[in-house]
Amino acid sequence: MTEKYALITGASAGIGLTFAQQMAAQGWSLVLVARRTDVLKTTARQLEETHDIKCHVITQDLSAGDASAKIVQSCQDNSIQVSALINNAGYGVPGDFDVVDWPTHDAMLQVMLNSVVELTHAFYPAMKAQGFGRIIQVASLAGITPATAGHTLYGAVKSFLVKFSHSLHLEAKEHGVHVTALCPGFTYTEFHDVNGTRPMVSKLPKGLWMSAEDVVAQGLDAVEKNKPIKINGWRNQLIYGMTKLLPDAVTRFLMKGSISKFRKR
Ligand SMILES: NC(=O)c1ccc[n+]([C@@H]2O[C@H](COP(=O)([O-])OP(=O)(O)OC[C@H]3O[C@@H](n4cnc5c(N)ncnc54)[C@H](OP(=O)(O)O)[C@@H]3O)[C@@H](O)[C@H]2O)c1
């Protein structure tokens, strides 16, 4: 049987790990990419034992300039044709723009922007040629709501992903390739532990939080239905709707008084 492979970046934790688990249950074989080899290998073994699938592990720091080329090469060397791409790896960089050093900004742009575009550019043509493909760009509610101070590039990068994803969605739909930008709000993962904001965001109302399981299930459903964008959960949809309906000055004021309090500066 020819394996149908999904490549997932950031597959060692949180939303990416959950994509791996749910896609394995759907019968996808997997290419798992992240830096933590031990976690990826354990995940691969567990998923292969539980489901009738294959897993290929690629240990790769996506901040390296040649990361995407190495990932593509590893797939070629192992005769893997990628039919689904989940660009998920990411993190937040606390602090104001000028306080954060350039190597940190540069690495973040490489992981969350350049590698996303490069991997999509590398794998989309074969999907188009075979008339089948699934691409999910994991963006964020932060990409479609007004800007906040602190974590300066995060919302900007996620806005880019939403716009890029939507344009590609329009180009790809006549070729059987579905492209969706996934926009979660606050989701229980390692994200806020990694960027040191857990004590701050723990004060947010529980109702604002979603599980990675629900976020991913909604994302997979949305890409199957070929939705250009999926905002997770009715509360996040309401927040987005309000930012569209209310005058800009009002939403900026509300953002300043609410979400801004949870941005580390
Ligand atoms: N959690 C939220 O509230 C939330 C909300 C909206 C959007 N998102 C987005 O969802 C995506 C997944 O985040 P998450 O919440 O699941 O966070 P997470 O639990 O911290 O997982 C992040 C994943 O990205 C990988 N990663 C980080 N830096 C990497 C690098 N340099 N090279 C390769 N892999 C790297 C990590 O793997 P290694 O450490 O093993 O490399 C890990 O697998 C991100 O794009 C994030 O912006 C999250």
Side-chain angles (χ1 to χ4, degrees):
M1 187 184 94
T2 314
E3 307 294 332
K4 196 175 60 161
Y5 274 94
L7 188 147
I8 303 167
T9 67
S12 60
I15 293 171
L17 174 59
T18 310
F19 265 113
Q21 291 162 341
Q22 293 193 12
M23 293 187 87
Q26 291 182 355
W28 287 89
S29 285
L30 302 170
V31 181
L32 305 173
V33 182
R35 291 168 300 184
R36 281 172 280 177
T37 314
D38 50 343
V39 183
L40 292 180
K41 284 196 168 160
T42 305
T43 301
R45 198 171 50 248
Q46 285 169 350
L47 294 177
E48 282 179 337
E49 280 167 12
T50 316
H51 308 284
D52 185 21
I53 61 149
K54 289 184 181 158
C55 289
H56 175 58
V57 165
I58 302 178
T59 305
Q60 182 61 56
D61 185 340
L62 291 165
S63 69
D66 59 354
S68 301
K70 282 186 168 167
I71 290 167
V72 172
Q73 190 63 52
S74 179
C75 290
Q76 282 171 1
D77 292 347
N78 289 278
S79 304
I80 289 171
Q81 185 173 346
V82 171
S83 300
L85 174 63
I86 315 294
N87 278 311
N88 162 78
Y91 54 93
V93 177
D96 281 11
F97 181 66
D98 57 325
V99 173
V100 177
D101 63 21
W102 178 248
T104 304
H105 281 317
D106 193 26
M108 190 255 203
L109 291 171
Q110 198 63 41
V111 174
M112 293 172 65
L113 200 151
N114 289 359
S115 84
V116 173
V117 181
E118 277 185 85
L119 289 173
T120 306
H121 193 259
F123 291 118
Y124 169 60
M127 295 183 197
K128 184 176 163 181
Q130 70 178 357
F132 177 86
R134 301 287 182 263
I135 299 175
I136 296 179
Q137 316 291 15
V138 180
S140 170
L141 189 63
I144 49 173
T145 49
T148 54
H151 300 240
T152 327
L153 294 182
Y154 186 81
V157 162
K158 296 301 193 182
S159 292
F160 175 97
L161 291 191
V162 172
K163 193 68 117 182
F164 163 55
S165 190
H166 203 161
S167 288
L168 187 61
H169 165 90
L170 295 171
E171 295 170 22
K173 64 181 182 182
E174 65 199 74
H175 303 291
V177 182
H178 297 186
V179 184
T180 299
L182 186 62
C183 295
F186 290 99
T187 308
Y188 290 115
T189 66
E190 294 178 8
F191 184 92
H192 298 96
D193 304 307
V194 172
N195 72 17
T197 56
R198 180 67 63 202
M200 298 167 85
V201 296
S202 296
K203 294 177 192 143
L204 280 163
K206 292 260 180 297
L208 276 183
W209 289 86
M210 287 183 69
S211 69
E213 284 74 17
D214 286 347
V215 166
V216 168
Q218 290 174 10
L220 290 172
D221 180 61
V223 82
E224 273 320 301
K225 293 179 175 151
N226 206 11
K227 300 244 166 95
I229 183 165
K230 175 67 192 174
I231 301 165
N232 292 105
W234 68 266
R235 288 181 180 86
N236 294 325
Q237 288 164 14
L238 184 67
I239 290 168
Y240 173 67
M242 280 168 58
T243 66
K244 287 297 210 194
L245 286 173
L246 294 171
D248 279 358
V250 177
T251 51
R252 278 199 299 272
F253 176 75
L254 290 174
M255 290 293 287
K256 202 173 165 207
S258 54
I259 298 300
S260 290
K261 281 194 281 192
F262 304 98
R263 291 271 184 265
K264 198 172 173 185
R265 299 185 62 191

